Amino acid sequence: ARNIALDAEASQLESGLQPPRKIQDADDVVQRRLIEAEVAYGVGSYADASIVLFDIVEKQKGSRVYREAVFYLADSLFLKGDHLSARDYFRTIVQDFGESDEHYQKALQRLIELSVHLQDDTGVSDYLERLDRVPQAKQLASVPYVRAKYAYFAGDYKRAVDVFATIAPTSKYYLQARYFMGASYVAVNELGKAAGAFGDLLKQPAKTAAHKRIVELAYMALGRIHYERDQPGEAVD
């Protein structure tokens, strides 16, 4: 009787067991691989990151991390210099995922930057219009900088200066903006205004290696401006 009772209990326990959730397990594996890729991306190993991310994007389109993987793949490709492939994936974010995607604005900005790298302005007017449609309160701080930088490389120096001028000293893009503003003035031979823009830049503390490089470039630019204006003493300084 005891054995019969135990058999009955075992049957009840067995009936209560559920088969493994293979989809969930597979998704967990994909998520762990995404984390590994993000770590590689974070330390600058963009080639390693892109290899893992490409596998996720091409084979795991039903995964809950698919969209995130597409963005990191696109940005890894961009940062390692594979601009044509990066453009395809950024276009996927903009055209297929749409405005609700958290990386939508970043993708638009990268597409604008890529138009400069590839010397191909196809679609740029649409990307700029899409950025305009993003409510001001939700726009990323980098949007004005990217717009102005595009105008600069397109040779529209007046437009570039106007937009660079809107970037406040509190912005992390201020030093870059002032440098390009100065370069825009140089391009139209307004050397006095260029010197003022570079001088404004030098009043700000350089906190990163990139900012220190901008400061060095600004000093070199000022030296050249003073030289061109027959101010050898200031140029030497």
Side-chain angles (χ1 to χ4, degrees):
R2 178 60 177 167
N3 289 338
I4 294 173
L6 289 174
D7 287 343
E9 289 176 12
S11 297
Q12 289 175 358
L13 287 172
E14 187 174 303
S15 65
L17 295 175
Q18 298 294 324
R21 295 181 62 187
K22 293 182 180 179
I23 295 176
Q24 181 64 45
D25 289 346
D27 228 22
D28 287 345
V29 171
V30 174
Q31 189 164 25
R32 285 196 295 273
R33 296 192 69 207
L34 174 63
I35 292 170
E36 291 171 6
E38 289 176 338
V39 171
Y41 171 94
V43 299
S45 298
Y46 304 118
D48 293 339
S50 63
I51 291 170
V52 178
L53 292 162
F54 181 81
D55 190 61
I56 296 173
V57 168
E58 293 302 310
K59 297 180 180 178
Q60 304 292 338
K61 294 187 177 181
S63 169
R64 65 176 181 269
V65 301
Y66 170 70
R67 291 191 175 195
E68 192 79 1
V70 170
F71 169 75
Y72 279 105
L73 174 59
D75 217 41
S76 294
L77 292 168
F78 174 85
L79 292 168
K80 81 182 189 74
D82 189 347
H83 294 149
L84 284 170
S85 297
R87 183 172 63 178
D88 289 340
Y89 289 110
F90 281 125
R91 283 175 173 171
T92 295
I93 294 171
V94 170
Q95 296 168 1
D96 297 348
F97 302 168
E99 298 177 15
S100 63
D101 190 87
E102 64 175 309
H103 300 297
Y104 177 75
Q105 287 188 66
K106 184 71 172 180
L108 286 171
Q109 292 178 80
R110 286 302 201 205
L111 285 167
I112 294 169
E113 292 180 77
L114 283 165
S115 73
V116 175
H117 286 293
L118 296 170
Q119 297 184 342
D120 179 3
D121 62 359
T122 303
V124 171
S125 59
D126 175 54
Y127 305 146
L128 293 171
E129 288 174 5
R130 286 173 178 268
L131 282 176
D132 285 339
R133 292 199 293 269
V134 176
Q136 191 72 31
K138 294 184 178 180
Q139 281 193 4
L140 298 176
S142 53
V143 168
Y145 174 68
V146 170
R147 294 182 67 98
K149 192 174 174 183
Y150 174 75
Y152 171 83
F153 282 108
D156 189 352
Y157 301 115
K158 183 181 184 306
R159 173 65 175 163
V161 166
D162 289 343
V163 182
F164 281 131
T166 66
I167 298 176
T170 53
S171 170
K172 66 179 181 179
Y173 298 99
Y174 180 76
L175 269 67
Q176 296 96 312
R178 286 287 147 167
Y179 181 83
F180 276 109
M181 179 185 286
S184 298
Y185 281 129
V186 169
V188 296
N189 203 34
E190 294 189 31
L191 299 185
K193 291 182 178 179
F198 290 126
D200 289 341
L201 182 164
L202 295 173
K203 295 175 184 177
Q204 301 298 316
K207 299 179 180 179
T208 67
H211 284 171
K212 290 176 182 177
R213 177 60 176 160
I214 295 168
V215 168
E216 290 178 353
L217 291 172
Y219 275 123
M220 293 172 66
L222 273 175
R224 182 59 185 267
I225 288 170
H226 288 311
Y227 175 83
E228 295 291 341
R229 300 176 77 189
D230 294 322
Q231 299 169 326
E234 290 86 343
V236 168
D237 292 339

